[in-house]
Amino acid sequence: IVINMALSQIISAKRVNMTRVQMRVNAKLASATISGMEMIETIKSSGAENGFFENSVFVGDSLTDGYKLDKHYADLDLAVYNRGIGGDTTFGVLGRMGVSIYDIKPSKVVLLIGGNDVNGGVEPDVIIKNSLKIVSEIKENVPETEIYFVSMIPQNNDIKMYGDFSAEVHVAKIMEINA
């Protein structure tokens, strides 16, 4: 009984420490997200948004696909394209660069991709390599295009879509990739 109580206290202390680390990471990510949203709102309120997003392409996975550009920018006369595809990966973006980016010849490309790679078990170094290849191919094929690569956001332990899911491992991989 004494051994069980001691083990229980040790395990409890480790869980508390893991929770604290997770909370610090989540706070940093929330801060970055709020900063990004504040930047967009500043651009909107200054009236500079009309020129800023002109002929822009948003490329990525379901997070991009679910971003309602036409609703968000309904009050502006812009050519803004949403090329997000639910479930897409860095491999998928590499396979559709022509139709999603080159054919449009955008002034700006906003990329948010890699989360499904992490969820699917692709190693961070492969995701980074693919991401760098996406950027270099855009620069090569449409050199005048500005590129904005949005940092990935981790998911939580409630995600059961990918079977044995660990938020700690997921967050660690995303932090490595975002660095």
Side-chain angles (χ1 to χ4, degrees):
I1 293 176
V2 173
I3 293 174
N4 284 343
M5 287 177 57
L7 284 174
S8 180
Q9 287 178 341
I10 291 170
I11 291 170
S12 177
K14 286 189 177 197
R15 284 187 178 167
V16 167
N17 286 337
M18 287 178 17
T19 301
R20 287 181 182 150
V21 169
Q22 183 73 32
M23 289 172 65
R24 280 194 297 270
V25 168
N26 288 344
K28 288 178 185 177
L29 292 168
S31 174
T33 301
I34 289 168
S35 295
M37 289 167 32
E38 287 173 349
M39 181 190 77
I40 290 172
E41 290 306 314
T42 300
I43 292 169
K44 281 185 85 169
S45 66
S46 71
E49 185 179 42
N50 204 6
F52 186 81
F53 288 113
E54 183 63 40
N55 197 33
S56 295
V57 177
F58 289 69
V59 179
D61 53 28
S62 61
L63 296 175
T64 304
D65 185 29
Y67 185 57
K68 305 300 180 205
L69 290 171
D70 45 343
K71 179 181 176 187
H72 188 71
Y73 299 107
D75 57 329
L76 303 173
D77 183 26
L78 297 176
V80 180
Y81 305 89
N82 187 330
R83 295 298 184 258
I85 297 176
D88 207 0
T89 63
T90 55
F91 296 98
V93 170
L94 282 167
R96 63 182 173 95
M97 299 279 279
V99 70
S100 290
I101 300 170
Y102 310 150
D103 292 350
I104 297 170
K105 296 179 180 47
S107 60
K108 293 176 182 64
V109 171
V110 179
L111 294 158
L112 174 54
I113 193 70
N116 291 316
D117 295 83
V118 172
N119 295 340
V122 178
E123 290 300 317
D125 61 324
V126 174
I127 299 168
I128 294 167
K129 180 181 151 207
N130 285 352
S131 298
L132 291 172
K133 187 172 182 179
I134 290 168
V135 170
S136 69
E137 287 189 14
I138 292 170
K139 287 182 177 181
E140 181 180 319
N141 289 281
V142 279
E144 65 285 349
T145 299
E146 294 176 29
I147 303 166
Y148 297 86
F149 214 106
V150 180
S151 298
M152 290 186 291
I153 6 179
Q155 296 170 342
N156 61 44
N157 273 331
D158 295 334
I159 304 298
K160 302 297 181 203
M161 173 183 257
Y162 296 98
D164 191 23
F165 182 83
S166 164
E168 291 80 20
V169 171
H170 191 269
V171 168
K173 286 183 178 184
I174 285 183
M175 295 303 279
E176 178 183 342
I177 293 164
N178 286 344

